[in-house]
Amino acid sequence: MNGFSGNDIPKEFKKSEYRFLIVADKYQTGFDEPLLHTMYVDKTLADIKAVQTLSRLNRAYKPDKKDTFILDLVNSADAIQEAFDPFYKTTILSEETDIDRLNDLQDVLDSFQVYSEEQVNELMTRFINGAERDQLDPILDECKQNFINELDEEQQIDFKKKGKSFVRNYQFLVQINPFRNPYWESLKTFLKFLLAKLPNLNDTDLSKGILESVDIDSYRIERQTTLAIQLEGGGEIAPTPPDAPGSKYEAQLDVLSNIIQDFNDRFGNIQWTEKDRVRRFLFEELPAEVSKDEEYQNAKKYSDRQNARITFEKKLVDKFQEFIFDHTEAYRKFTEDTEFKTWLANTLFDNDYDQGAA
């Protein structure tokens, strides 16, 4: 009806000709658009779903958005109050850990005008294409001068704190929320580079230097475990797959174990930021995506091994590019290190092809 795909809705909605967004569950709780102002509710809402849905209007939009309005045609005021009460009476958070927190931080950071979206995207493009520091630093140095020349001391302190908070929150939330936002990934990388170049300030931040020395990834794993206990009953977990016959199941585990051991022997000195996540992606998620590709399945079924290998390697590159923002470290290693690329392609293909033959 719109004349464009659902993926284009966030971009198209910003155009003046589009004023209304009619939604079901898809955008009810996961659509973060600062332009939203008025909501008409024609379905029953309760508990956390009510809080999440009505909170879609809470994104700040400067300078014109000063209020919001909800016309609820179904729910009673008592039902909505009951849904919100627990979050005002008994829930206490030391720091927000939802995606709205990232929207708020991005809004504040953008308002300082230290960087532009074009600079963030340009640096990320150079970074994932293997650019050296002499190609990255000119962009960062320009932003550093904006920081020094355009902000007073209080604003500089606030920018650095907000920047660190964005990086910290993003790296935590990306592990527990199934969202994809390429710009946030780019901004996180940009800020990590920029913050390291900014001058030290004579402020009262007692945490100065601590965040840089703490293993944030280990901290995130600890927090994730804690939240999993606190949020008992929430979220989804995939059902345990049915057990295959014992001998075949054990053989597959043994093959995977040998692959990972060979990987560690060859590339164990790589300082991955998140080792377990990288290994899961390389040896489970990525090969599964390639294996079910229709073109590769046809090549494996109707062609010889050599042609199947060529198709597999082509699809491996294609699938890697789809996950470029989720697994930037692995992507850079794959594109820059010929030995790593060759070993990974050969190992994953041999494992997949031989299993199919068996």
Side-chain angles (χ1 to χ4, degrees), residues 59-91:
R59 309 273 27 93
Y61 184 74
K62 302 174 182 179
D64 300 324
K65 184 176 177 181
K66 296 179 172 60
D67 57 15
T68 59
F69 178 78
I70 297 172
L71 179 59
D72 195 328
L73 306 174
V74 177
N75 302 280
S76 68
D78 290 340
I80 297 300
Q81 180 177 349
E82 182 180 354
F84 274 81
D85 268 347
F87 300 92
Y88 284 87
K89 291 181 178 179
T90 61
T91 300

Side-chain angles (χ1 to χ4, degrees), residues 150-167:
E150 304 299 330
L151 304 185
D152 60 33
E153 184 176 2
E154 183 176 343
Q155 290 174 320
Q156 291 177 353
I157 293 172
D158 196 31
F159 179 87
K160 292 187 72 172
K161 287 181 178 179
K162 294 293 194 302
K164 291 177 183 178
S165 185
F166 183 92
V167 172

Side-chain angles (χ1 to χ4, degrees), residues 278-296:
V278 168
R279 289 170 182 164
R280 184 169 61 251
F281 168 67
L282 292 178
F283 304 123
E284 297 178 32
E285 299 167 5
L286 182 62
E289 288 293 319
V290 177
S291 182
K292 65 185 182 184
D293 181 87
E294 184 177 357
E295 185 178 346
Y296 170 63

Side-chain angles (χ1 to χ4, degrees), residues 151-246:
L151 304 185
D152 60 33
E153 184 176 2
E154 183 176 343
Q155 290 174 320
Q156 291 177 353
I157 293 172
D158 196 31
F159 179 87
K160 292 187 72 172
K161 287 181 178 179
K162 294 293 194 302
K164 291 177 183 178
S165 185
F166 183 92
V167 172
R168 208 165 51 240
N169 277 270
Y170 178 84
Q171 291 183 151
F172 173 68
L173 285 168
V174 77
Q175 298 299 314
I176 61 174
N177 285 278
F179 68 88
R180 291 175 63 86
N181 188 322
Y183 181 70
W184 280 351
E185 175 68 28
S186 300
L187 182 58
K188 181 264 296 184
T189 301
F190 180 89
L191 288 171
K192 289 180 74 172
F193 280 116
L194 179 61
L195 290 169
K197 292 180 72 70
L198 297 181
N200 291 328
L201 304 172
N202 295 321
D203 55 53
T204 57
D205 182 5
L206 299 180
S207 68
K208 183 186 296 182
I210 295 178
L211 291 178
E212 288 76 7
S213 61
V214 170
D215 183 350
I216 296 297
D217 295 292
S218 298
Y219 173 72
R220 180 176 63 251
I221 293 171
E222 180 180 339
R223 285 290 304 276
Q224 184 173 346
T225 304
T226 303
L227 286 177
I229 295 171
Q230 291 174 338
L231 300 178
E232 182 178 356
E236 288 185 21
I237 185 168
T240 303
D243 287 339

